[in-house]
Structures are given as structure tokens and as C-alpha cells.
Amino acid sequence: MANHKSSLKRIRQDKKKALHNHYYAKTMRNAVRKLRALTNKEEALKLYPSVQKMLDKLAKTNLSHKNKAANIKSGLALHINKLG
């Protein structure tokens, strides 16, 4: 167990940040899953910009690697283009 006041505070802050990060990462995963499940091209095109924005924000704050975000966006764009 930590002995210093500063290390106890750091533990509290880390728990709070981890909870915040898990929420946004899970929200992003759910949004991607929802978009991949769509079969209607118009609906997918409406949802894609918000998912793209979410991925960019997470990559910017290092919650997701920038290349991973780019790969996901590319895959989603391919998925949307294949829809009829």
C-alpha cells in the first residue's frame, strides 16, 4: 500500500481516469459494431461521420493508436461502399 499522500492521490486520479477512458473506448467499440451491423447504405452514411469523429478524438488523446483508428475508418468505408 502507498505511504505518501501524493501517491494515494495519484491512485485516486488513476482510477477516475481509467473509468473515463473505459467509457469512451467502449462507446467507440459499440458505435463501430453498430455501423458494421447496418445493411442500409443511407443509414450507414449518416452514422459514419460521427463514428469517424469519435475515432479521431480517441486517437488524438492516445486512447487508441492513430494507425488503428485509420484502419478501422478504412474498413468501415469499405463496408459502406459494399452496401447496395
Side-chain angles (χ1 to χ4, degrees):
M1 187 61 197
N3 293 320
H4 295 281
K5 270 182 134 178
S6 61
S7 57
L8 292 170
K9 181 179 178 181
R10 176 63 57 197
I11 290 168
R12 287 195 309 270
Q13 288 176 336
D14 288 344
K15 281 183 188 174
K16 189 174 181 181
K17 279 183 194 170
L19 186 63
H20 179 267
N21 291 344
H22 286 304
Y23 170 77
Y24 283 102
K26 184 68 173 176
T27 304
M28 181 268 299
R29 284 196 302 272
N30 287 336
V32 169
R33 200 173 294 131
K34 183 179 177 184
L35 184 58
R36 282 201 178 120
L38 290 177
T39 55
N40 187 351
K41 190 168 187 170
E42 289 77 31
E43 288 178 26
L45 284 171
K46 283 183 188 175
L47 186 62
Y48 183 67
S50 62
V51 173
Q52 188 176 13
K53 183 178 178 181
M54 196 181 302
L55 284 164
D56 288 337
K57 277 186 177 182
L58 291 181
K60 183 177 151 187
T61 57
N62 291 327
L63 277 177
S64 169
H65 196 274
K66 65 178 182 173
N67 291 350
K68 179 178 176 138
N71 285 335
I72 292 172
K73 287 192 295 186
S74 172
L76 290 174
L78 282 173
H79 171 72
I80 290 170
N81 287 332
K82 286 181 184 177
L83 293 175

